[in-house]
């Protein structure tokens, strides 16, 4: 390994990075000072890229070009029923690539999900280099425990495109356990790690004993996460609006984005409040004027909506407990991971199942990145007293005659691992056999995930059932697979390195890496410009609002000059012309001060109304979108 090593949690909703220095971890802030970065990428009409908070802020006005929750698509086939269900609620285009994978369309350009993830990783890499003041080359990146080989390969592709050497892929719940164990490593405990993030639910049962972390079993649901909880509330809002106004707005992409933003905020507030007020003005223009939505939502009502989602956690948990031959009462600690795990109903359901209150001592948004950095420090030798023994989440094997699935390495086998079985031919004088490599748990080959096919040729002409063909599987520490077929009669051998199912060829990956390097300086300048423009847009918005409210307190000359300046800067923001904005930056700040003075003058004449009865509903909060 060369260069600085960081740990990255590449999340569905948010991503986070961490570094270990001197045996202690530090979460790396992004360019805006936030410890997490939204996993959102947007493209403006002119083709410029926005990442993170800047992309998320403009999602309402640019829904078809704002990409989010791409982790659910990475390494996935377009025709998968779950993919079809997931993309039905997305405002942007998801298309079928020539190889059958799911790709994303923006204008006349198609992007593979790893390509979009690479843009997020590039932003994290830049933030880390700015924070550490040195080059970052190596990274440990986490994935959901139940990611299959194609999804892990696609994640590694994303890292390579971003200019990172991905030294290890680590399961997210395993990383969380490492973070917990860093300060509790002398204990002997059975840990239940419940990771309910933005897109997936993973459960891992792990034994921690004197610095050795052994995964006993893992299970999960790759389509259960915070996005589904948001969607449940969005659909409720659509229904409320239709009942109030008689109009169905669920197909309007801009309205979808506004409702998604409101749903996410209301969901978060209901983790600490009993009731939230939801107000969304000017949803659409009706025949008699603008139509709004104004309603309240109780926590109990929301919990009733999402109870089926919460209950879906239990089947994977029971599955893993059964594989590990453990009872819920044997668990020492229940560790919460992922932002959605903050929901009181989630915690209550887990407490009911395990008979103990979940551990809340670690930050669920940062713990996975911390664990990834710790694993990186173990690999580099900076931390020497921790050992990680992870498992493969799904069984591996080959298709047999008649469409059966013969497992060679069973799920929950500790990795790295190697195992083999001997097969034979079906017909007389068979000169070749096709090895169809599969991953999954179903008995039928067609019901499992195909990882690829290869041929073993030039077999000697022997009766059916006589040749002996040894098929061996190797899984490395990243959970990535190599398959070998050996004819024991002739010692003829064929090896297959499972090719990435990310929709990207090696040529395309190399092209993207070259492009990222070639345009790095230009992209960096333009990105800084766009951040500056976005920041000015926020200042301009507050000035325009203050001018509308308090402009009457200015003199006629001041009113005219302010109006002209605001119009000039607004046009520059629309045109993305940073030179005009910079030329007027001082004037805009002066106008902000002038309007603040006008606002104070206006408030002195206003009548202040105080509720003499006090706060009658201390559990009520508000959500307001302009």
């Amino acid at each position: 390994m060369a260069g600085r090593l960081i740990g990255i949690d590449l999340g569905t909703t948010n991503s986070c990075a961490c570094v270990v220095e001197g045996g202690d971890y530090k979460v790396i802030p992004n360019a805006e000072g936030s410890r997490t970065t939204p996993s959102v990428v947007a493209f403006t009409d002119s083709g410029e890229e926005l990442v993170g908070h800047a992309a998320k802020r403009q999602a309402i006005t640019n829904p078809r070009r704002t990409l989010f929750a791409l982790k659910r698509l990475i390494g996935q086939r377009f025709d998968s029923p779950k993919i079809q269900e997931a993309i039905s609620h997305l405002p942007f285009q998801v298309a079928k690539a020539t190889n059958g994978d799911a790709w994303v369309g923006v204008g006349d350009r198609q992007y593979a999900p790893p390509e979009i993830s690479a843009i997020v990783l590039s932003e994290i890499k830049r933030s880390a280099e700015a924070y550490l003041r040195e080059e970052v080359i190596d990274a440990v990146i986490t994935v959901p425990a139940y990611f299959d080989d194609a999804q892990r390969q696609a994640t590694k592709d994303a890292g390579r495109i971003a200019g990172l050497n991905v030294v290890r892929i680590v399961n997210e719940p395993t990383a969380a356990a490492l973070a917990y164990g860093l300060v509790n490593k002398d204990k002997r405990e059975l840990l239940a790690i419940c990771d309910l993030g933005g897109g997936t639910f993973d459960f891992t049962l792990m034994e921690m004993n004197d610095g050795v972390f052994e995964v006993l079993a893992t299970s999960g649901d790759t389509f259960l996460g915070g996005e589904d909880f948001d969607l449940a509330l969005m659909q409720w809002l659509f229904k409320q609006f239709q009942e109030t106004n008689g109009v169905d707005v669920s197909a309007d992409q801009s309205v979808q984005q506004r409702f998604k933003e409101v749903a996410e905020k209301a969901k978060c507030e209901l983790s600490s409040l009993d009731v939230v007020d939801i107000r969304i003005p000017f949803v659409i223009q009706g025949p008699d004027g603008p139509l709004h939505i104004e309603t309240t939502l109780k926590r109990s009502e929301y919990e009733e909506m999402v109870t089926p989602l919460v209950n879906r956690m239990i089947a994977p948990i029971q599955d893993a407990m059964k594989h590990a031959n453990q009872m819920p009462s044997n668990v020492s600690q229940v560790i919460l991971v992922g932002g959605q795990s903050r929901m009181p109903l989630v915690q209550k359901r887990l407490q009911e199942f395990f008979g103990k209150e979940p551990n809340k001592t670690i930050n669920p948004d940062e713990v996975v990145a911390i664990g990834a950095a710790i694993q990186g420090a173990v690999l580099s030798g900076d931390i020497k007293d921790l050992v990680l023994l992870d498992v493969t989440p799904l069984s591996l094997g080959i298709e047999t005659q008649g469409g059966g699935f013969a497992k060679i390495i069973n799920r929950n086998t500790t990795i790295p691992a190697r195992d083999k079985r001997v097969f034979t031919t079906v017909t007389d004088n068979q000169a070749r056999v096709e090895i169809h490599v599969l991953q999954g748990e179903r008995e039928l080959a067609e019901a499992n995930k195909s990882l690829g096919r290869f041929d073993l040729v030039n077999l000697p002409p022997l009766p059916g059932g006589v040749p002996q063909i040894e098929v061996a599987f190797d899984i490395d520490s990243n959970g990535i697979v190599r398959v070998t077929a050996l004819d024991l009669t002739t010692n003829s051998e064929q090896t297959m390195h499972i090719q990435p199912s990310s929709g990207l060829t090696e040529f395309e990956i190399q092209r993207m890496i070259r492009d990222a390097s070639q345009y790095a300086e230009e992209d960096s300048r333009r990105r800084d410009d766009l951040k500056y423009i976005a920041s000015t847009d926020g200042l301009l918005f507050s000035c325009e609002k203050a001018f509308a409210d308090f402009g009457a307190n200015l003199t006629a000359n001041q009113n005219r000059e302010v109006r002209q300046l605001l119009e000039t800067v607004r046009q520059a923001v629309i045109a993305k012309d940073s030179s005009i904005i910079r030329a007027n930056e001082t004037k805009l700040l002066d106008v902000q001060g002038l309007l603040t003075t006008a606002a104070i003058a206006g408030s002195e004449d206003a009548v202040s109304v105080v509720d003499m009865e006090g706060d009658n509903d201390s559990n009520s909060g508000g959500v307001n979108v302009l």
Side-chain angles (χ1 to χ4, degrees):
M1 290 181 292
R4 200 60 179 272
L5 190 151
I6 63 173
I8 300 175
D9 171 15
L10 180 61
T12 304
T13 306
N14 294 292
S15 295
C16 183
C18 183
V19 65
V20 171
E21 293 182 323
D24 196 13
Y25 65 82
K26 294 180 181 178
V27 175
I28 298 172
N30 60 24
E32 297 186 4
S34 176
R35 292 163 71 93
T36 59
T37 299
S39 303
V40 183
V41 174
F43 298 90
T44 65
D45 290 339
S46 59
E48 303 290 350
E49 292 175 6
L50 297 173
V51 189
H53 293 287
K56 190 175 181 180
R57 279 193 290 264
Q58 54 83 76
I60 293 173
T61 58
N62 186 23
R64 288 191 63 82
R65 291 175 170 267
T66 302
L67 311 179
F68 59 90
L70 266 294
K71 186 174 176 179
R72 284 189 160 186
L73 305 182
I74 199 165
Q76 294 278 14
R77 306 292 286 179
F78 179 81
D79 292 331
S80 161
K82 286 194 173 182
I83 286 294
Q84 290 302 306
E85 181 183 352
I87 67 177
S88 63
H89 308 293
L90 297 176
F92 50 86
Q93 179 191 7
V94 180
K96 184 177 182 178
T98 53
N99 69 348
D101 283 354
W103 281 37
V104 180
V106 179
D108 57 357
R109 170 78 191 272
Q110 280 193 330
Y111 294 88
E115 195 174 356
I116 301 300
S117 294
I119 296 173
V120 177
L121 289 172
S122 295
E123 182 72 10
I124 290 172
K125 183 177 187 289
R126 279 188 292 272
S127 296
E129 289 174 338
Y131 177 76
L132 297 170
R133 298 183 180 180
E134 60 180 288
E135 186 179 17
V136 169
I137 297 176
D138 298 320
V140 172
I141 300 180
T142 61
V143 296
Y146 228 51
F147 258 25
D148 62 25
D149 184 78
Q151 292 166 302
R152 291 167 190 268
Q153 290 276 17
T155 303
K156 287 199 77 173
D157 284 351
R160 290 177 60 199
I161 295 165
L164 292 167
N165 173 37
V166 184
V167 298
R168 182 67 56 87
I169 295 289
V170 177
N171 292 336
E172 290 164 2
T174 304
L178 284 176
Y180 170 81
L182 184 66
V183 293
N184 299 282
K185 61 189 175 187
D186 295 332
K187 295 182 179 180
R188 180 172 184 171
E189 293 183 323
L190 183 64
L191 307 179
I193 301 100
C194 303
D195 183 354
L196 187 60
T200 61
F201 172 68
D202 289 309
F203 176 77
T204 293
L205 196 65
M206 174 181 286
E207 190 170 64
M208 180 180 72
N209 185 11
D210 195 24
V212 177
F213 294 80
E214 182 177 4
V215 176
L216 304 181
T218 189
S219 191
D221 186 335
T222 53
F223 286 90
L224 173 64
E227 291 286 329
D228 302 289
F229 287 76
D230 294 346
L231 180 60
L233 185 43
M234 282 174 62
Q235 290 173 335
W236 180 81
L237 287 172
F238 287 136
K239 183 178 178 182
Q240 292 291 307
F241 186 85
Q242 186 169 11
E243 289 178 353
T244 303
N245 299 290
V247 182
D248 181 5
V249 294
S250 59
D252 187 310
Q253 293 167 350
S254 295
V255 174
Q256 285 178 10
Q257 287 299 102
R258 291 185 70 187
F259 278 29
K260 177 177 172 57
E261 184 177 307
V262 170
E264 186 178 347
K265 289 181 179 179
K267 176 189 74 174
C268 293
E269 290 193 4
L270 285 171
S271 289
S272 57
L273 302 174
D274 290 335
V275 182
V276 292
D277 296 327
I278 299 176
R279 301 184 186 92
I280 313 177
F282 307 106
V283 176
I284 60 170
Q285 182 68 30
D288 300 320
L291 302 179
H292 320 285
I293 182 170
E294 184 169 347
T295 186
T296 60
L297 178 63
K298 297 178 181 178
R299 180 194 291 179
S300 58
E301 293 172 328
Y302 180 54
E303 289 181 343
E304 185 177 351
M305 285 181 223
V306 299
T307 292
L309 295 174
V310 174
N311 288 340
R312 276 172 56 186
M313 297 188 302
I314 302 305
I317 293 174
Q318 290 173 327
D319 177 56
M321 299 292 291
K322 181 180 178 181
H323 269 263
N325 197 26
Q326 295 286 347
M327 299 294 292
S329 57
N330 297 341
V331 170
S332 310
Q333 296 284 342
V334 180
I335 309 296
L336 299 177
V337 185
Q340 192 59 49
S341 70
R342 285 190 171 93
M343 185 178 187
L345 182 62
V346 170
Q347 297 176 5
K348 178 184 176 183
R349 189 71 183 91
L350 293 173
Q351 184 171 349
E352 289 171 350
F353 182 85
F354 288 102
K356 55 179 57 66
E357 187 174 354
N359 186 308
K360 304 175 187 175
T361 59
I362 51 181
N363 186 326
D365 295 323
E366 301 173 355
V367 63
V368 170
I370 293 168
I374 291 170
Q375 176 62 16
V378 170
L379 294 174
S380 64
D382 293 338
I383 295 178
K384 302 182 183 298
D385 52 354
L386 292 180
V387 178
L388 172 62
L389 301 174
D390 213 337
V391 299
T392 180
L394 296 165
S395 298
L396 290 154
I398 65 170
E399 181 177 357
T400 56
Q401 178 70 12
F405 176 47
K407 296 178 183 178
I408 296 178
I409 294 183
N410 289 313
R411 61 175 291 210
N412 292 322
T413 297
T414 301
I415 58 174
R418 176 180 169 83
D419 208 345
K420 58 190 177 182
R421 283 181 64 179
V422 176
F423 298 85
T424 189
T425 55
V426 177
T427 61
D428 295 340
N429 303 318
Q430 193 170 326
R432 60 175 284 276
V433 293
E434 182 185 67
I435 310 295
H436 183 195
V437 183
L438 300 159
Q439 187 171 31
E441 303 306 318
R442 303 280 293 276
E443 295 300 321
L444 292 176
E446 64 182 19
N448 294 305
K449 175 85 172 186
S450 174
L451 298 184
R453 301 170 187 261
F454 67 100
D455 290 336
L456 183 62
V457 298
N458 299 324
L459 299 179
L462 295 172
V466 173
Q468 290 188 307
I469 300 164
E470 181 184 86
V471 179
F473 276 71
D474 280 289
I475 311 178
D476 67 15
S477 51
N478 293 310
I480 294 174
V481 182
R482 186 181 70 142
V483 186
T484 301
L486 172 67
D487 175 19
L488 296 178
T489 303
T490 64
N491 284 327
S492 175
E493 184 180 69
Q494 179 67 41
T495 298
M496 176 184 180
H497 293 270
I498 303 298
Q499 294 301 310
S501 298
S502 59
L504 299 174
T505 65
E506 183 63 22
F507 175 80
E508 288 172 319
I509 292 170
Q510 292 300 329
R511 175 186 58 77
M512 292 172 187
I513 292 171
R514 288 195 303 271
D515 286 351
S517 175
Q518 179 180 349
Y519 300 113
E521 186 175 344
E522 178 185 335
D523 289 349
S524 179
R525 282 198 305 269
R526 187 56 183 160
R527 188 172 290 105
D528 289 344
D529 260 5
L530 291 172
K531 286 182 179 178
Y532 174 67
I533 293 167
S535 175
T536 302
D537 192 22
L539 174 60
L540 181 61
F541 177 81
S542 63
C543 287
E544 288 171 335
K545 188 174 187 305
F547 183 60
D549 292 341
F550 305 107
N553 296 331
L554 303 177
T555 66
N557 283 340
Q558 288 174 328
N559 194 295
R560 183 176 60 257
E561 290 173 0
V562 168
R563 188 184 302 278
Q564 184 177 353
L565 176 67
L566 295 181
E567 179 61 25
T568 298
V569 178
R570 171 55 66 195
Q571 291 302 317
V573 167
I574 292 171
K576 301 285 192 294
D577 190 335
S578 60
S579 60
I580 294 178
I581 296 173
R582 293 184 193 281
N584 288 280
E585 181 177 6
T586 302
K587 292 180 181 178
L588 189 62
L589 291 172
D590 289 343
V591 163
Q592 183 187 38
L594 181 66
L595 291 171
T596 300
T597 302
I600 294 171
S603 65
E604 290 174 351
D605 298 328
V607 178
S608 178
V609 180
V610 180
D611 181 1
M612 300 303 294
E613 295 179 3
D615 185 0
N616 293 323
D617 187 1
S618 60
N619 287 321
S620 179
V623 177
N624 220 354
V625 175
L626 294 174

